[in-house]
Amino acid sequence: MPRAIRPALAALCLALLPASPVLQAEEDAAAPKETAPAVERAPLEERSQEEASNLARQLPAREQQQLKAGEESFLVLWQPANVSEPSGLVILLPGEGESADWPEAIGPLRRKLPDSGWSTLSVTLPDPSGDPPPPRPLKTGEPSKAEPAVSPEKAEEEGPANTEQAGSAEPDTDPAPPPLSRDAIQKTQTERVFARIDAALAFARQQNPGAIVLLGHGTGAYWATQYLTASEPKDVRNLLLVAAELPTGYEPALEDSLPALKLATGDFYYKDQPTDRDAALRRLHASKRQKHPAYIQIAMKGLPADRRTEQEQLIRRIRGWLSLHLEADASKAPSKAASGPSI
C-alpha cells in the first residue's frame, strides 16, 4: 500500500473510534439541559383514611356507609339489630390510633350487640393531631433533573460566574405559613370530631331507633363526653365509657365534665391497671360530690393472656348495663346509682 494513503486511513480510523469518557462528559455538560416540569405530589393520606380504605376492601359493602362532615367524607360501619323490634342504636367512637373495627371493644361490640337487639354504628374519627397531612418527601440522594450535579472541582473552576448564574433566579417571595398554635390545632380537631358525631347522629335518627346510646373507647370516651356537654342532644340520654382516657394536652379532665352530664352513665374500667383505677376513683368521687343521679361504675379484670375472654366479659357487662340501666330520661334514673356499685 502506498505511504500516501496511510495517514488518510489512520485519520478515518480515529474518526470511527468512540469519544473518550472525559470528552463525552464535557460535551454533555456543555449541552443545554431540558428542564423537567415540576410535578406537585399529592399529600399523604391520614392514617385513619388509610385504615378506612383497608376496611372498605375487607368488609362487606352492606356494612359500609359513607357520611359527610362538612367537606370531608368518612367511613362508618353499620350493623342493624338481628331482631324484628330493636331496642335501640349504639354509636361507637374508637380511641386514638384505633379504627372503626378495632379488635378491642369497638369491633367485638359492633358485631355482637346486634344479636342482643341493638343496632351499631361505628365511626371513623380523624387523626388526633388536627394538622393537615404532610406533603410527600422528595427522594434524597438523587440530583434534581432540572439541576445537574456539579463536582466541587468543577465548581471551583467555574468560580463566581456559576454563582451569579445560580443566584439569577427570582427568590420565592411567598412567606411560609406560620405554625398553628396548640389552641388552634385543638379547636380544629374538636370541630372535625363533633362534625362527624353530628353526621353519625343524623344517620342514626333516620333509622328511628328506640334509644340512642353514645359509647366511647379510650380517648373516644372523652370525645363522647365533650360532645354531649357542648351539644346536649335531647334524644341521647345514655353514655357509656370503656377504659376512658384523656387525649394528651386536652382539658377539662373527665372527672370535671362527667358530673355535669345528668345522663344515665356507665363507666367501665380495668381495675388491675393502676392509672385507670386511680382515674376511675376520681370520677366516682366527683359524681358523689355533685350527686349525679345515674352514674354507675363497673370494674373489670384485664386478661392480657386471653383477649377473647376479656372481650366476651366486656360484651356481657355492656349488655347487662343496657338491660338494667338504660334510661330514656335521666331524671327517672334510680338514685341508688350514685353509689357506684359494680355489676
Side-chain angles (χ1 to χ4, degrees), residues 72-109:
E72 294 182 322
S73 295
F74 64 100
L75 175 72
V76 296
L77 300 180
W78 164 244
Q79 285 274 39
N82 298 324
V83 295
S84 58
E85 296 182 3
S87 300
L89 187 150
V90 180
I91 297 177
L92 303 168
L93 303 181
E96 184 175 318
E98 300 175 353
S99 70
D101 195 37
W102 194 248
E104 294 181 11
I106 299 297
L109 286 170

PDB file of all heavy atoms in Angstrom, residues 72-109:
ATOM      1  N   GLU A  72     -65.621  16.870  54.326  1.00  0.00           N
ATOM      2  CA  GLU A  72     -64.953  15.580  54.469  1.00  0.00           C
ATOM      3  C   GLU A  72     -65.943  14.428  54.369  1.00  0.00           C
ATOM      4  O   GLU A  72     -67.049  14.500  54.916  1.00  0.00           O
ATOM      5  CB  GLU A  72     -64.235  15.490  55.823  1.00  0.00           C
ATOM      6  CG  GLU A  72     -63.073  16.442  55.980  1.00  0.00           C
ATOM      7  CD  GLU A  72     -62.382  16.264  57.326  1.00  0.00           C
ATOM      8  OE1 GLU A  72     -63.073  16.034  58.340  1.00  0.00           O
ATOM      9  OE2 GLU A  72     -61.141  16.344  57.349  1.00  0.00           O
ATOM     10  N   SER A  73     -65.540  13.382  53.677  1.00  0.00           N
ATOM     11  CA  SER A  73     -66.274  12.125  53.678  1.00  0.00           C
ATOM     12  C   SER A  73     -65.544  11.150  54.590  1.00  0.00           C
ATOM     13  O   SER A  73     -64.310  11.146  54.652  1.00  0.00           O
ATOM     14  CB  SER A  73     -66.368  11.542  52.265  1.00  0.00           C
ATOM     15  OG  SER A  73     -67.134  12.380  51.430  1.00  0.00           O
ATOM     16  N   PHE A  74     -66.289  10.334  55.317  1.00  0.00           N
ATOM     17  CA  PHE A  74     -65.656   9.365  56.204  1.00  0.00           C
ATOM     18  C   PHE A  74     -66.503   8.108  56.272  1.00  0.00           C
ATOM     19  O   PHE A  74     -67.702   8.111  55.962  1.00  0.00           O
ATOM     20  CB  PHE A  74     -65.454   9.952  57.608  1.00  0.00           C
ATOM     21  CG  PHE A  74     -66.735  10.280  58.341  1.00  0.00           C
ATOM     22  CD1 PHE A  74     -67.251   9.417  59.302  1.00  0.00           C
ATOM     23  CD2 PHE A  74     -67.420  11.453  58.072  1.00  0.00           C
ATOM     24  CE1 PHE A  74     -68.423   9.712  59.973  1.00  0.00           C
ATOM     25  CE2 PHE A  74     -68.594  11.768  58.745  1.00  0.00           C
ATOM     26  CZ  PHE A  74     -69.098  10.889  59.695  1.00  0.00           C
ATOM     27  N   LEU A  75     -65.870   7.029  56.677  1.00  0.00           N
ATOM     28  CA  LEU A  75     -66.500   5.715  56.707  1.00  0.00           C
ATOM     29  C   LEU A  75     -67.103   5.437  58.073  1.00  0.00           C
ATOM     30  O   LEU A  75     -66.484   5.693  59.105  1.00  0.00           O
ATOM     31  CB  LEU A  75     -65.463   4.634  56.380  1.00  0.00           C
ATOM     32  CG  LEU A  75     -65.924   3.178  56.482  1.00  0.00           C
ATOM     33  CD1 LEU A  75     -66.875   2.844  55.321  1.00  0.00           C
ATOM     34  CD2 LEU A  75     -64.723   2.234  56.477  1.00  0.00           C
ATOM     35  N   VAL A  76     -68.315   4.903  58.064  1.00  0.00           N
ATOM     36  CA  VAL A  76     -68.907   4.335  59.273  1.00  0.00           C
ATOM     37  C   VAL A  76     -69.325   2.908  58.946  1.00  0.00           C
ATOM     38  O   VAL A  76     -69.632   2.586  57.795  1.00  0.00           O
ATOM     39  CB  VAL A  76     -70.120   5.143  59.782  1.00  0.00           C
ATOM     40  CG1 VAL A  76     -69.709   6.534  60.211  1.00  0.00           C
ATOM     41  CG2 VAL A  76     -71.218   5.216  58.722  1.00  0.00           C
ATOM     42  N   LEU A  77     -69.311   2.061  59.968  1.00  0.00           N
ATOM     43  CA  LEU A  77     -69.692   0.660  59.799  1.00  0.00           C
ATOM     44  C   LEU A  77     -71.048   0.447  60.470  1.00  0.00           C
ATOM     45  O   LEU A  77     -71.193   0.677  61.670  1.00  0.00           O
ATOM     46  CB  LEU A  77     -68.619  -0.251  60.400  1.00  0.00           C
ATOM     47  CG  LEU A  77     -67.227  -0.103  59.780  1.00  0.00           C
ATOM     48  CD1 LEU A  77     -66.240  -1.057  60.445  1.00  0.00           C
ATOM     49  CD2 LEU A  77     -67.259  -0.335  58.275  1.00  0.00           C
ATOM     50  N   TRP A  78     -72.003  -0.002  59.692  1.00  0.00           N
ATOM     51  CA  TRP A  78     -73.395  -0.101  60.128  1.00  0.00           C
ATOM     52  C   TRP A  78     -73.801  -1.572  60.253  1.00  0.00           C
ATOM     53  O   TRP A  78     -73.599  -2.353  59.339  1.00  0.00           O
ATOM     54  CB  TRP A  78     -74.286   0.621  59.133  1.00  0.00           C
ATOM     55  CG  TRP A  78     -75.752   0.311  59.207  1.00  0.00           C
ATOM     56  CD1 TRP A  78     -76.511  -0.287  58.249  1.00  0.00           C
ATOM     57  CD2 TRP A  78     -76.642   0.608  60.291  1.00  0.00           C
ATOM     58  NE1 TRP A  78     -77.815  -0.390  58.658  1.00  0.00           N
ATOM     59  CE2 TRP A  78     -77.929   0.152  59.917  1.00  0.00           C
ATOM     60  CE3 TRP A  78     -76.473   1.211  61.532  1.00  0.00           C
ATOM     61  CZ2 TRP A  78     -79.032   0.288  60.750  1.00  0.00           C
ATOM     62  CZ3 TRP A  78     -77.576   1.335  62.358  1.00  0.00           C
ATOM     63  CH2 TRP A  78     -78.834   0.884  61.973  1.00  0.00           C
ATOM     64  N   GLN A  79     -74.358  -1.919  61.419  1.00  0.00           N
ATOM     65  CA  GLN A  79     -74.869  -3.262  61.652  1.00  0.00           C
ATOM     66  C   GLN A  79     -76.270  -3.144  62.257  1.00  0.00           C
ATOM     67  O   GLN A  79     -76.423  -2.752  63.415  1.00  0.00           O
ATOM     68  CB  GLN A  79     -73.960  -4.030  62.634  1.00  0.00           C
ATOM     69  CG  GLN A  79     -72.648  -4.500  62.035  1.00  0.00           C
ATOM     70  CD  GLN A  79     -72.779  -5.843  61.330  1.00  0.00           C
ATOM     71  OE1 GLN A  79     -73.763  -6.109  60.662  1.00  0.00           O
ATOM     72  NE2 GLN A  79     -71.797  -6.698  61.502  1.00  0.00           N
ATOM     73  N   PRO A  80     -77.333  -3.450  61.496  1.00  0.00           N
ATOM     74  CA  PRO A  80     -78.675  -3.410  62.078  1.00  0.00           C
ATOM     75  C   PRO A  80     -78.878  -4.550  63.062  1.00  0.00           C
ATOM     76  O   PRO A  80     -78.226  -5.599  62.977  1.00  0.00           O
ATOM     77  CB  PRO A  80     -79.585  -3.554  60.855  1.00  0.00           C
ATOM     78  CG  PRO A  80     -78.748  -4.241  59.830  1.00  0.00           C
ATOM     79  CD  PRO A  80     -77.330  -3.816  60.073  1.00  0.00           C
ATOM     80  N   ALA A  81     -79.771  -4.336  64.009  1.00  0.00           N
ATOM     81  CA  ALA A  81     -80.055  -5.359  65.015  1.00  0.00           C
ATOM     82  C   ALA A  81     -80.670  -6.594  64.353  1.00  0.00           C
ATOM     83  O   ALA A  81     -81.416  -6.490  63.370  1.00  0.00           O
ATOM     84  CB  ALA A  81     -81.006  -4.800  66.070  1.00  0.00           C
ATOM     85  N   ASN A  82     -80.356  -7.744  64.905  1.00  0.00           N
ATOM     86  CA  ASN A  82     -80.840  -9.006  64.354  1.00  0.00           C
ATOM     87  C   ASN A  82     -82.155  -9.436  65.008  1.00  0.00           C
ATOM     88  O   ASN A  82     -82.339 -10.594  65.363  1.00  0.00           O
ATOM     89  CB  ASN A  82     -79.774 -10.094  64.535  1.00  0.00           C
ATOM     90  CG  ASN A  82     -78.500  -9.768  63.781  1.00  0.00           C
ATOM     91  OD1 ASN A  82     -78.535  -9.198  62.692  1.00  0.00           O
ATOM     92  ND2 ASN A  82     -77.359 -10.114  64.357  1.00  0.00           N
ATOM     93  N   VAL A  83     -83.039  -8.480  65.213  1.00  0.00           N
ATOM     94  CA  VAL A  83     -84.363  -8.758  65.769  1.00  0.00           C
ATOM     95  C   VAL A  83     -85.371  -7.907  65.011  1.00  0.00           C
ATOM     96  O   VAL A  83     -85.007  -6.934  64.338  1.00  0.00           O
ATOM     97  CB  VAL A  83     -84.430  -8.441  67.284  1.00  0.00           C
ATOM     98  CG1 VAL A  83     -83.516  -9.360  68.077  1.00  0.00           C
ATOM     99  CG2 VAL A  83     -84.079  -6.979  67.550  1.00  0.00           C
ATOM    100  N   SER A  84     -86.652  -8.260  65.135  1.00  0.00           N
ATOM    101  CA  SER A  84     -87.681  -7.517  64.425  1.00  0.00           C
ATOM    102  C   SER A  84     -87.952  -6.157  65.064  1.00  0.00           C
ATOM    103  O   SER A  84     -88.319  -5.212  64.369  1.00  0.00           O
ATOM    104  CB  SER A  84     -88.978  -8.339  64.385  1.00  0.00           C
ATOM    105  OG  SER A  84     -89.410  -8.650  65.702  1.00  0.00           O
ATOM    106  N   GLU A  85     -87.802  -6.043  66.383  1.00  0.00           N
ATOM    107  CA  GLU A  85     -88.029  -4.792  67.085  1.00  0.00           C
ATOM    108  C   GLU A  85     -86.779  -4.441  67.898  1.00  0.00           C
ATOM    109  O   GLU A  85     -86.644  -4.838  69.056  1.00  0.00           O
ATOM    110  CB  GLU A  85     -89.253  -4.896  67.993  1.00  0.00           C
ATOM    111  CG  GLU A  85     -90.554  -5.134  67.235  1.00  0.00           C
ATOM    112  CD  GLU A  85     -91.751  -5.173  68.175  1.00  0.00           C
ATOM    113  OE1 GLU A  85     -91.544  -4.957  69.397  1.00  0.00           O
ATOM    114  OE2 GLU A  85     -92.860  -5.426  67.704  1.00  0.00           O
ATOM    115  N   PRO A  86     -85.860  -3.674  67.308  1.00  0.00           N
ATOM    116  CA  PRO A  86     -84.612  -3.335  68.010  1.00  0.00           C
ATOM    117  C   PRO A  86     -84.868  -2.511  69.263  1.00  0.00           C
ATOM    118  O   PRO A  86     -85.820  -1.741  69.350  1.00  0.00           O
ATOM    119  CB  PRO A  86     -83.829  -2.531  66.969  1.00  0.00           C
ATOM    120  CG  PRO A  86     -84.425  -2.886  65.654  1.00  0.00           C
ATOM    121  CD  PRO A  86     -85.875  -3.163  65.934  1.00  0.00           C
ATOM    122  N   SER A  87     -83.973  -2.700  70.255  1.00  0.00           N
ATOM    123  CA  SER A  87     -84.051  -1.904  71.493  1.00  0.00           C
ATOM    124  C   SER A  87     -83.520  -0.497  71.291  1.00  0.00           C
ATOM    125  O   SER A  87     -83.905   0.425  72.015  1.00  0.00           O
ATOM    126  CB  SER A  87     -83.242  -2.596  72.601  1.00  0.00           C
ATOM    127  OG  SER A  87     -83.741  -3.885  72.855  1.00  0.00           O
ATOM    128  N   GLY A  88     -82.643  -0.317  70.343  1.00  0.00           N
ATOM    129  CA  GLY A  88     -82.065   0.997  70.099  1.00  0.00           C
ATOM    130  C   GLY A  88     -80.815   0.882  69.260  1.00  0.00           C
ATOM    131  O   GLY A  88     -80.576  -0.148  68.600  1.00  0.00           O
ATOM    132  N   LEU A  89     -79.994   1.936  69.289  1.00  0.00           N
ATOM    133  CA  LEU A  89     -78.795   2.013  68.454  1.00  0.00           C
ATOM    134  C   LEU A  89     -77.642   2.547  69.290  1.00  0.00           C
ATOM    135  O   LEU A  89     -77.801   3.531  70.020  1.00  0.00           O
ATOM    136  CB  LEU A  89     -79.072   2.920  67.253  1.00  0.00           C
ATOM    137  CG  LEU A  89     -78.013   3.005  66.167  1.00  0.00           C
ATOM    138  CD1 LEU A  89     -78.682   3.292  64.809  1.00  0.00           C
ATOM    139  CD2 LEU A  89     -76.976   4.089  66.451  1.00  0.00           C
ATOM    140  N   VAL A  90     -76.497   1.895  69.173  1.00  0.00           N
ATOM    141  CA  VAL A  90     -75.289   2.302  69.887  1.00  0.00           C
ATOM    142  C   VAL A  90     -74.295   2.879  68.878  1.00  0.00           C
ATOM    143  O   VAL A  90     -73.908   2.192  67.927  1.00  0.00           O
ATOM    144  CB  VAL A  90     -74.648   1.124  70.649  1.00  0.00           C
ATOM    145  CG1 VAL A  90     -73.380   1.588  71.376  1.00  0.00           C
ATOM    146  CG2 VAL A  90     -75.639   0.521  71.638  1.00  0.00           C
ATOM    147  N   ILE A  91     -73.904   4.137  69.082  1.00  0.00           N
ATOM    148  CA  ILE A  91     -72.861   4.762  68.261  1.00  0.00           C
ATOM    149  C   ILE A  91     -71.527   4.554  68.960  1.00  0.00           C
ATOM    150  O   ILE A  91     -71.349   4.936  70.120  1.00  0.00           O
ATOM    151  CB  ILE A  91     -73.148   6.257  68.071  1.00  0.00           C
ATOM    152  CG1 ILE A  91     -74.460   6.451  67.312  1.00  0.00           C
ATOM    153  CG2 ILE A  91     -71.999   6.929  67.319  1.00  0.00           C
ATOM    154  CD1 ILE A  91     -74.861   7.911  67.140  1.00  0.00           C
ATOM    155  N   LEU A  92     -70.570   3.945  68.246  1.00  0.00           N
ATOM    156  CA  LEU A  92     -69.271   3.579  68.813  1.00  0.00           C
ATOM    157  C   LEU A  92     -68.206   4.558  68.335  1.00  0.00           C
ATOM    158  O   LEU A  92     -68.032   4.766  67.127  1.00  0.00           O
ATOM    159  CB  LEU A  92     -68.887   2.160  68.396  1.00  0.00           C
ATOM    160  CG  LEU A  92     -69.887   1.053  68.768  1.00  0.00           C
ATOM    161  CD1 LEU A  92     -69.539  -0.240  68.049  1.00  0.00           C
ATOM    162  CD2 LEU A  92     -69.903   0.829  70.268  1.00  0.00           C
ATOM    163  N   LEU A  93     -67.482   5.154  69.291  1.00  0.00           N
ATOM    164  CA  LEU A  93     -66.390   6.077  68.978  1.00  0.00           C
ATOM    165  C   LEU A  93     -65.071   5.443  69.397  1.00  0.00           C
ATOM    166  O   LEU A  93     -64.806   5.300  70.596  1.00  0.00           O
ATOM    167  CB  LEU A  93     -66.584   7.407  69.702  1.00  0.00           C
ATOM    168  CG  LEU A  93     -67.892   8.157  69.445  1.00  0.00           C
ATOM    169  CD1 LEU A  93     -67.899   9.474  70.222  1.00  0.00           C
ATOM    170  CD2 LEU A  93     -68.106   8.406  67.966  1.00  0.00           C
ATOM    171  N   PRO A  94     -64.219   5.055  68.457  1.00  0.00           N
ATOM    172  CA  PRO A  94     -62.926   4.458  68.818  1.00  0.00           C
ATOM    173  C   PRO A  94     -61.973   5.488  69.385  1.00  0.00           C
ATOM    174  O   PRO A  94     -62.153   6.703  69.226  1.00  0.00           O
ATOM    175  CB  PRO A  94     -62.414   3.885  67.489  1.00  0.00           C
ATOM    176  CG  PRO A  94     -63.103   4.707  66.445  1.00  0.00           C
ATOM    177  CD  PRO A  94     -64.435   5.112  67.009  1.00  0.00           C
ATOM    178  N   GLY A  95     -60.925   5.004  70.048  1.00  0.00           N
ATOM    179  CA  GLY A  95     -59.932   5.876  70.645  1.00  0.00           C
ATOM    180  C   GLY A  95     -58.834   6.249  69.670  1.00  0.00           C
ATOM    181  O   GLY A  95     -58.826   5.834  68.502  1.00  0.00           O
ATOM    182  N   GLU A  96     -57.894   7.036  70.153  1.00  0.00           N
ATOM    183  CA  GLU A  96     -56.768   7.484  69.339  1.00  0.00           C
ATOM    184  C   GLU A  96     -55.967   6.295  68.823  1.00  0.00           C
ATOM    185  O   GLU A  96     -55.608   5.400  69.571  1.00  0.00           O
ATOM    186  CB  GLU A  96     -55.875   8.396  70.179  1.00  0.00           C
ATOM    187  CG  GLU A  96     -54.712   9.009  69.447  1.00  0.00           C
ATOM    188  CD  GLU A  96     -53.953   9.981  70.325  1.00  0.00           C
ATOM    189  OE1 GLU A  96     -54.611  10.763  71.046  1.00  0.00           O
ATOM    190  OE2 GLU A  96     -52.707   9.951  70.304  1.00  0.00           O
ATOM    191  N   GLY A  97     -55.693   6.293  67.528  1.00  0.00           N
ATOM    192  CA  GLY A  97     -54.943   5.213  66.915  1.00  0.00           C
ATOM    193  C   GLY A  97     -55.758   3.977  66.605  1.00  0.00           C
ATOM    194  O   GLY A  97     -55.205   2.970  66.152  1.00  0.00           O
ATOM    195  N   GLU A  98     -57.079   4.031  66.803  1.00  0.00           N
ATOM    196  CA  GLU A  98     -57.944   2.879  66.570  1.00  0.00           C
ATOM    197  C   GLU A  98     -58.819   3.115  65.341  1.00  0.00           C
ATOM    198  O   GLU A  98     -59.075   4.253  64.955  1.00  0.00           O
ATOM    199  CB  GLU A  98     -58.826   2.616  67.792  1.00  0.00           C
ATOM    200  CG  GLU A  98     -58.042   2.322  69.057  1.00  0.00           C
ATOM    201  CD  GLU A  98     -58.916   2.183  70.284  1.00  0.00           C
ATOM    202  OE1 GLU A  98     -60.133   2.446  70.190  1.00  0.00           O
ATOM    203  OE2 GLU A  98     -58.384   1.813  71.348  1.00  0.00           O
ATOM    204  N   SER A  99     -59.292   2.020  64.758  1.00  0.00           N
ATOM    205  CA  SER A  99     -60.157   2.094  63.588  1.00  0.00           C
ATOM    206  C   SER A  99     -61.596   1.804  63.988  1.00  0.00           C
ATOM    207  O   SER A  99     -61.894   1.482  65.142  1.00  0.00           O
ATOM    208  CB  SER A  99     -59.693   1.091  62.525  1.00  0.00           C
ATOM    209  OG  SER A  99     -59.965  -0.241  62.957  1.00  0.00           O
ATOM    210  N   ALA A 100     -62.488   1.874  63.020  1.00  0.00           N
ATOM    211  CA  ALA A 100     -63.903   1.613  63.266  1.00  0.00           C
ATOM    212  C   ALA A 100     -64.188   0.134  63.487  1.00  0.00           C
ATOM    213  O   ALA A 100     -65.318  -0.225  63.839  1.00  0.00           O
ATOM    214  CB  ALA A 100     -64.743   2.137  62.098  1.00  0.00           C
ATOM    215  N   ASP A 101     -63.182  -0.715  63.305  1.00  0.00           N
ATOM    216  CA  ASP A 101     -63.342  -2.151  63.559  1.00  0.00           C
ATOM    217  C   ASP A 101     -62.195  -2.641  64.442  1.00  0.00           C
ATOM    218  O   ASP A 101     -61.687  -3.754  64.257  1.00  0.00           O
ATOM    219  CB  ASP A 101     -63.389  -2.927  62.235  1.00  0.00           C
ATOM    220  CG  ASP A 101     -63.906  -4.347  62.409  1.00  0.00           C
ATOM    221  OD1 ASP A 101     -64.826  -4.560  63.237  1.00  0.00           O
ATOM    222  OD2 ASP A 101     -63.406  -5.261  61.717  1.00  0.00           O
ATOM    223  N   TRP A 102     -61.775  -1.823  65.398  1.00  0.00           N
ATOM    224  CA  TRP A 102     -60.641  -2.140  66.256  1.00  0.00           C
ATOM    225  C   TRP A 102     -60.910  -3.429  67.039  1.00  0.00           C
ATOM    226  O   TRP A 102     -62.021  -3.644  67.533  1.00  0.00           O
ATOM    227  CB  TRP A 102     -60.380  -0.977  67.199  1.00  0.00           C
ATOM    228  CG  TRP A 102     -59.052  -1.037  67.883  1.00  0.00           C
ATOM    229  CD1 TRP A 102     -58.802  -1.243  69.206  1.00  0.00           C
ATOM    230  CD2 TRP A 102     -57.771  -0.888  67.265  1.00  0.00           C
ATOM    231  NE1 TRP A 102     -57.449  -1.223  69.449  1.00  0.00           N
ATOM    232  CE2 TRP A 102     -56.785  -1.015  68.272  1.00  0.00           C
ATOM    233  CE3 TRP A 102     -57.362  -0.661  65.949  1.00  0.00           C
ATOM    234  CZ2 TRP A 102     -55.420  -0.920  68.000  1.00  0.00           C
ATOM    235  CZ3 TRP A 102     -56.007  -0.562  65.683  1.00  0.00           C
ATOM    236  CH2 TRP A 102     -55.057  -0.686  66.700  1.00  0.00           C
ATOM    237  N   PRO A 103     -59.908  -4.317  67.157  1.00  0.00           N
ATOM    238  CA  PRO A 103     -60.159  -5.621  67.807  1.00  0.00           C
ATOM    239  C   PRO A 103     -60.445  -5.563  69.291  1.00  0.00           C
ATOM    240  O   PRO A 103     -60.887  -6.557  69.867  1.00  0.00           O
ATOM    241  CB  PRO A 103     -58.867  -6.399  67.521  1.00  0.00           C
ATOM    242  CG  PRO A 103     -57.829  -5.369  67.228  1.00  0.00           C
ATOM    243  CD  PRO A 103     -58.554  -4.243  66.576  1.00  0.00           C
ATOM    244  N   GLU A 104     -60.184  -4.417  69.945  1.00  0.00           N
ATOM    245  CA  GLU A 104     -60.514  -4.270  71.358  1.00  0.00           C
ATOM    246  C   GLU A 104     -61.744  -3.383  71.493  1.00  0.00           C
ATOM    247  O   GLU A 104     -61.741  -2.234  71.049  1.00  0.00           O
ATOM    248  CB  GLU A 104     -59.344  -3.670  72.140  1.00  0.00           C
ATOM    249  CG  GLU A 104     -58.116  -4.566  72.200  1.00  0.00           C
ATOM    250  CD  GLU A 104     -56.989  -3.948  73.008  1.00  0.00           C
ATOM    251  OE1 GLU A 104     -57.259  -2.924  73.685  1.00  0.00           O
ATOM    252  OE2 GLU A 104     -55.862  -4.458  72.951  1.00  0.00           O
ATOM    253  N   ALA A 105     -62.772  -3.889  72.086  1.00  0.00           N
ATOM    254  CA  ALA A 105     -64.013  -3.173  72.404  1.00  0.00           C
ATOM    255  C   ALA A 105     -64.809  -2.830  71.151  1.00  0.00           C
ATOM    256  O   ALA A 105     -65.943  -3.311  70.973  1.00  0.00           O
ATOM    257  CB  ALA A 105     -63.730  -1.912  73.228  1.00  0.00           C
ATOM    258  N   ILE A 106     -64.286  -2.009  70.262  1.00  0.00           N
ATOM    259  CA  ILE A 106     -65.072  -1.478  69.155  1.00  0.00           C
ATOM    260  C   ILE A 106     -65.548  -2.582  68.210  1.00  0.00           C
ATOM    261  O   ILE A 106     -66.757  -2.726  67.954  1.00  0.00           O
ATOM    262  CB  ILE A 106     -64.272  -0.413  68.381  1.00  0.00           C
ATOM    263  CG1 ILE A 106     -63.907   0.760  69.303  1.00  0.00           C
ATOM    264  CG2 ILE A 106     -65.061   0.076  67.170  1.00  0.00           C
ATOM    265  CD1 ILE A 106     -65.090   1.514  69.855  1.00  0.00           C
ATOM    266  N   GLY A 107     -64.635  -3.367  67.677  1.00  0.00           N
ATOM    267  CA  GLY A 107     -65.006  -4.425  66.737  1.00  0.00           C
ATOM    268  C   GLY A 107     -65.922  -5.478  67.361  1.00  0.00           C
ATOM    269  O   GLY A 107     -66.978  -5.796  66.799  1.00  0.00           O
ATOM    270  N   PRO A 108     -65.541  -6.066  68.520  1.00  0.00           N
ATOM    271  CA  PRO A 108     -66.422  -7.063  69.139  1.00  0.00           C
ATOM    272  C   PRO A 108     -67.814  -6.526  69.476  1.00  0.00           C
ATOM    273  O   PRO A 108     -68.812  -7.212  69.262  1.00  0.00           O
ATOM    274  CB  PRO A 108     -65.649  -7.456  70.408  1.00  0.00           C
ATOM    275  CG  PRO A 108     -64.214  -7.208  70.065  1.00  0.00           C
ATOM    276  CD  PRO A 108     -64.231  -5.997  69.187  1.00  0.00           C
ATOM    277  N   LEU A 109     -67.907  -5.303  69.980  1.00  0.00           N
ATOM    278  CA  LEU A 109     -69.209  -4.747  70.330  1.00  0.00           C
ATOM    279  C   LEU A 109     -70.061  -4.493  69.092  1.00  0.00           C
ATOM    280  O   LEU A 109     -71.276  -4.757  69.100  1.00  0.00           O
ATOM    281  CB  LEU A 109     -69.034  -3.448  71.119  1.00  0.00           C
ATOM    282  CG  LEU A 109     -68.581  -3.593  72.568  1.00  0.00           C
ATOM    283  CD1 LEU A 109     -68.210  -2.231  73.147  1.00  0.00           C
ATOM    284  CD2 LEU A 109     -69.658  -4.259  73.423  1.00  0.00           C
TER     285      LEU A 109
END
